[in-house]
């Protein structure tokens, strides 16, 4: 089955299975030495634009990250509209590692912001993410 949302083909799946599309929240590598949140990206998300009749929509935050030894890196998807955290990912790995977290599908449009910070390590030690996506899946 081929899936179209707002007239755009998003993907194909055989036999009515799940399909997924990625929305880039931050497409470039971003790093920080800050111990307080640094904004590295964001996006407006309107769930009505992604609905497919008869299918269940789910959201997942996806990122690849790594840190310097002794550092914990934290990536937060922050819902600016409701002033609340939508999802959080953390890394202690010193090599690139993919992580995911579920995001509750909002009932109405929201503005999201990506925040990155590090804890631990020396002042010059960093946390790094290679790109962050909001995965939209249908099943």
């Amino acid at each position: 089955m081929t899936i179209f949302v707002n007239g755009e083909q998003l993907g194909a799946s055989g036999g009515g299975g799940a399909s997924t599309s990625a929305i880039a929240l931050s497409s470039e590598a971003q790093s920080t030495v800050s111990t307080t949140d640094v904004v590295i990206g964001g996006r407006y998300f309107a769930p009505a634009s992604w609905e497919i009749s008869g299918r269940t929509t789910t959201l997942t935050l996806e990122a690849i990250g790594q840190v310097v030894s002794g550092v914990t890196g934290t990536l937060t998807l922050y819902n600016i509209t409701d002033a609340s955290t939508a999802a959080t990912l953390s890394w202690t790995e010193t090599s690139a590692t993919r992580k995911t977290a579920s995001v509750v599908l909002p009932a109405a449009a929201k503005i999201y912001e990506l925040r990155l910070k590090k804890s631990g390590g020396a002042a010059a030690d960093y946390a790094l993410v290679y790109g962050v996506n909001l995965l939209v899946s249908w099943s």
Side-chain angles (χ1 to χ4, degrees):
M1 163 194 299
T2 301
I3 295 175
F4 293 84
V5 175
N6 293 332
E8 181 178 342
Q9 181 178 342
L10 298 178
S13 63
S19 294
T20 302
S21 182
I23 301 170
L25 299 175
S26 175
S27 58
E28 297 179 10
Q30 305 271 347
S31 67
T32 189
V33 297
S34 178
T35 57
T36 59
D37 287 321
V38 175
V39 176
I40 63 166
R43 187 76 174 219
Y44 174 83
F45 180 80
S49 298
W50 294 90
E51 289 177 349
I52 297 175
S53 180
R55 301 198 83 175
T56 301
T57 305
T58 58
L59 301 179
T60 304
L61 179 65
E62 170 196 56
I64 298 170
Q66 70 183 71
V67 296
V68 171
S69 182
V71 169
T72 298
T74 303
L75 178 72
T76 301
L77 179 63
Y78 188 76
N79 176 340
I80 294 174
T81 307
D82 297 336
S84 63
T85 297
T88 303
L89 298 172
S90 294
W91 287 266
T92 55
E93 295 84 0
T94 57
S95 60
T97 305
R98 178 183 180 264
K99 302 235 177 160
T100 62
S102 294
V103 178
V104 173
L105 181 68
K110 305 293 179 190
I111 298 174
Y112 292 106
E113 171 176 276
L114 281 177
R115 299 175 175 182
L116 180 64
K117 69 179 177 181
K118 67 113 180 194
S119 60
D125 291 345
Y126 60 88
L128 168 71
V129 292
Y130 291 98
V132 183
N133 295 309
L134 186 61
L135 302 178
V136 183
S137 302
W138 303 270
S139 56

